[in-house]
């Protein structure tokens, strides 16, 4: 075998090893992360904010609520969110939200993510500010995202994990 052939084979095996290690360390056995955010100005001075996220665990079924409400922080039956301005101040206005998914709902009206699966969810929030301030920008931020393992162990994402659960600013 020539030097060039042996170096080519060596490089090939190194590439395979690096690829295998990459997939081993980047494919989690559990996952919960935001995958997309979108904000849209509607014609009546309102806005639609969307935050997409995925949840799934290797060893557990995960139960997620379809309900969302503004200003709540500890109700385990609701995803909580706020509408903030450029100064990170809470903005007064009317908001309504819901978590959408093609995931199955159980009899307790909870989304059920099977073991070893990951499902997508979208928090959709319509917002109309009380005062229409020209040029003021708004964003949606999730403040509390509860979930359960196997329907019993109640958990929620930490504030540091929720930092990415926010949209960009948009003028309405």
């Amino acid at each position: 075998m020539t030097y060039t052939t042996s170096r080519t084979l060596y490089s090939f095996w190194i590439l395979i090893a690096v690829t295998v290690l990459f997939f081993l360390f980047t494919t989690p056995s559990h996952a919960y992360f935001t995958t997309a955010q979108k904000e849209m100005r509607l014609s009546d001075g309102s806005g639609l904010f969307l935050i997409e996220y995925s949840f799934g665990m290797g060893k557990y079924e995960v139960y997620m609520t379809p309900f969302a409400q503004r200003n709540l922080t500890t109700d385990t039956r609701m995803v909580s969110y706020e509408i903030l301005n450029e100064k990170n101040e809470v903005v007064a206005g009317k908001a309504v939200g819901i978590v959408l998914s093609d995931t199955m709902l159980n009899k307790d009206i909870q989304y059920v993510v099977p073991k070893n699966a990951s499902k997508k969810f979208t928090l959709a929030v319509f917002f109309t500010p009380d005062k229409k301030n020209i040029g003021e920008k708004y964003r949606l931020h999730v403040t509390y995202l509860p979930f359960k393992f196997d329907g019993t162990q109640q958990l929620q994402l930490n504030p540091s994990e929720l930092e990415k659960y926010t949209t960009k600013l948009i003028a309405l």
Side-chain angles (χ1 to χ4, degrees):
M1 192 174 339
T2 66
Y3 176 76
T4 305
T5 305
S6 66
R7 290 308 277 171
T8 302
L9 286 173
Y10 176 77
S11 297
F12 177 74
W13 287 111
I14 293 293
L15 179 63
I16 288 174
V18 167
T19 303
V20 168
L21 288 172
F22 173 78
F23 284 108
L24 282 175
F25 290 111
T26 59
T27 306
S29 61
H30 59 82
Y32 44 88
F33 50 89
T34 180
T35 55
Q37 302 83 27
K38 193 178 272 189
E39 53 289 321
M40 293 174 256
R41 183 179 30 225
L42 303 176
S43 62
D44 65 350
S46 299
L48 171 60
F49 298 92
L50 304 169
I51 295 181
E52 184 180 283
Y53 50 96
S54 294
F55 259 76
M57 297 289 169
K59 296 180 181 181
Y60 304 100
E61 283 185 332
V62 178
Y63 293 74
M64 308 286 298
T65 180
F67 304 111
Q69 190 166 342
R70 191 172 182 191
N71 298 326
L72 292 177
T73 56
T74 58
D75 188 338
T76 59
R77 299 167 297 161
M78 303 273 183
V79 172
S80 297
Y81 60 88
E82 267 308 345
I83 303 296
L84 305 172
N85 64 15
E86 294 170 282
K87 299 174 189 172
N88 285 330
E89 300 167 330
V90 174
V91 179
K94 294 175 185 70
V96 63
I98 189 166
V99 178
L100 304 170
S101 179
D102 64 355
T103 306
M104 179 184 70
L105 283 169
N106 67 9
K107 64 179 173 51
D108 297 323
I109 311 174
Q110 294 178 329
Y111 291 121
V112 181
V113 181
K115 294 177 187 178
N116 291 317
S118 180
K119 296 292 185 174
K120 288 188 180 182
F121 302 88
T122 302
L123 171 62
V125 175
F126 290 91
F127 172 72
T128 304
D130 283 346
K131 293 182 183 178
K132 305 232 192 253
N133 296 328
I134 306 273
E136 186 168 16
K137 295 182 179 180
Y138 309 95
R139 67 182 174 93
L140 170 67
H141 176 67
V142 176
T143 57
Y144 184 71
L145 203 158
F147 59 97
K148 290 181 183 177
F149 286 158
D150 288 335
T152 57
Q153 186 179 5
Q154 183 67 49
L155 299 167
Q156 77 262 352
L157 293 186
N158 297 322
S160 62
E161 294 169 315
L162 289 173
E163 287 178 10
K164 295 180 181 175
Y165 287 72
T166 189
T167 63
K168 294 179 182 174
L169 289 160
I170 185 173
L172 301 179

